């Protein structure tokens, strides 16, 4: 479901008009349902191992059935590609929605402990303040992720707050992209004449690239989200930038 100035029938018409490239990997016409996945990106660069968002996590109680008490092989998968938890140097949470912070911690003996004990966790301060207030006032509205996946790494002293543009490594930069949430960030990688953009939840579906005024129901600042989305598209269009969102179906990224 998308919130926008468009009526449902207009959105349905837009989906039908774009069926040739949206179906079946991004939209299932027979069900009129969008395909939304959850990605975790790992960057091995200049001696650093950086995880960009940590998904839902295992054994986490979540209101959404598809996210509740998962039991995936995420940790063996990381080790298989040379990114074992103790080798990870940085974790970047682009924003603090529950499907982006879950593996910040893992349940050990019934307690949520940092999954990446040697990493610095980079968290947007604007999001931290926003979701901390929600958590204190109504824990359900914080999506359950704040208490079990954010505060434990803060309490462990592993967090550096993102207050503005910064450089994580030579050619790997962090920039603010607020709108979906008050503090969301994007990451840009420029190396060997190539460029990539980790654009978090600017998009939940490629349809938003064709219709950038479409917001998801989870956009906290709808007008800012639309403005940020359009600015991003204007920035990367025709540049051969590899765009890497978090929620696309296969193929999960593109130029």
């Amino acid at each position: 479901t998308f919130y926008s100035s468009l009526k449902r029938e207009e959105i349905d018409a837009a989906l039908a008009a774009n069926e040739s490239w949206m179906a079946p990997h991004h939209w299932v016409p027979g069900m009129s349902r969008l395909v939304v996945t959850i990605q975790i990106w790992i960057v091995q660069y200049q001696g650093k191992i950086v995880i960009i968002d940590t998904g839902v996590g295992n054994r986490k109680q979540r209101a959404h059935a598809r996210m509740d008490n998962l039991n995936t092989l995420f940790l063996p998968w990381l080790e298989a590609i040379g990114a074992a938890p103790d080798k990870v140097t940085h974790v970047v949470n682009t924003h603090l929605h529950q499907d982006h912070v879950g593996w910040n911690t893992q349940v050990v003996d019934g307690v949520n402990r940092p999954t990446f004990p040697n990493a610095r966790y980079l968290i947007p301060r604007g999001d931290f303040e926003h979701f901390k207030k929600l958590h204190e006032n109504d824990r359900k509205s914080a999506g359950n992720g704040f208490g079990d996946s954010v505060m434990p790494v803060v309490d462990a002293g592993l967090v550096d707050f993102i207050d503005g543009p910064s450089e994580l490594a030579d050619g790997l930069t962090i920039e603010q992209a607020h709108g979906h949430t008050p503090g969301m960030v994007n990451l840009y990688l420029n190396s060997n004449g190539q460029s990539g953009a980790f654009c978090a939840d600017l998009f939940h579906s490629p349809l938003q690239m064709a219709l950038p005024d479409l917001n998801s129901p989870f956009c906290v600042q709808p007008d800012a989200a639309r403005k940020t989305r359009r600015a991003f598209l204007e920035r990367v269009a025709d540049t051969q930038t590899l765009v890497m969102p978090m929620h696309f179906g296969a193929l999960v990224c593109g130029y």
Side-chain angles (χ1 to χ4, degrees):
T1 301
F2 285 93
Y3 295 154
S4 76
S5 58
L6 297 180
K7 297 178 181 179
R8 175 58 189 262
E9 54 267 27
E10 292 176 305
I11 296 176
D12 288 341
L15 284 165
N18 291 283
E19 180 177 354
S20 63
W21 62 274
M22 283 286 293
H25 299 297
H26 307 291
W27 176 51
V28 183
M31 301 171 63
S32 193
R33 296 292 296 272
L34 293 170
V35 177
V36 179
T37 68
I38 297 173
Q39 314 299 332
I40 297 169
W41 296 101
I42 294 96
V43 178
Q44 295 167 308
Y45 183 66
Q46 294 185 351
K48 296 178 172 61
I49 298 178
V50 182
I51 294 184
I52 302 172
D53 286 339
T54 61
V56 176
N58 280 2
R59 299 171 63 190
K60 301 292 177 78
Q61 294 184 352
R62 297 292 182 256
H64 299 289
R66 66 177 290 195
M67 300 183 188
D68 187 44
N69 281 297
L70 297 185
N71 184 25
T72 71
L73 295 173
F74 175 67
L75 295 181
W77 292 336
L78 281 186
E79 188 167 2
I81 62 169
D86 61 339
K87 295 181 179 179
V88 173
T89 60
H90 296 83
V91 175
V92 180
N93 292 142
T94 63
H95 61 294
L96 298 186
H97 279 153
Q98 61 178 337
D99 55 328
H100 294 257
V101 301
W103 272 110
N104 284 3
T105 63
Q106 59 179 321
V107 179
V108 179
D109 297 328
V111 178
N112 284 286
R113 304 186 187 280
T115 305
F116 310 100
N118 300 320
R120 298 304 299 174
Y121 287 72
L122 280 63
I123 291 176
R125 189 181 298 275
D127 263 34
F128 180 76
E129 293 174 351
H130 173 78
F131 286 100
K132 184 174 186 290
K133 185 175 181 180
L134 287 179
H135 181 73
E136 292 171 346
N137 292 337
D138 180 2
R139 298 198 173 195
K140 289 183 179 180
S141 70
N144 296 327
F146 191 88
D148 61 40
S149 300
V150 176
M151 284 309 303
V153 294
V154 174
D155 292 340
L158 298 179
V159 170
D160 295 323
F161 289 108
I162 303 169
D163 290 304
S166 60
E167 188 171 62
L168 188 52
D170 184 25
L172 181 58
T173 59
I174 300 173
E175 297 185 18
Q176 291 177 311
H178 71 280
H180 180 66
T181 62
M184 193 176 78
V185 297
N186 289 341
L187 284 86
Y188 294 88
L189 177 61
N190 293 283
S191 176
N192 297 325
Q194 297 178 306
S195 61
F198 301 92
C199 59
D201 282 9
L202 284 184
F203 312 94
H204 279 76
S205 168
L207 184 65
Q208 292 170 283
M209 292 183 168
L211 299 172
D213 284 343
L214 290 180
N215 278 336
S216 79
F218 309 106
C219 289
V220 177
Q221 301 169 325
D223 291 339
R226 295 185 180 100
K227 182 178 179 180
T228 299
R229 188 179 303 114
R230 282 189 171 276
F232 176 82
L233 289 171
E234 291 170 358
R235 174 175 179 170
V236 302
D238 298 323
T239 65
Q240 285 301 298
T241 296
L242 182 61
V243 175
M244 293 168 278
M246 298 296 180
H247 294 296
F248 284 11
L251 295 169
V252 297
C253 57
Y255 293 94

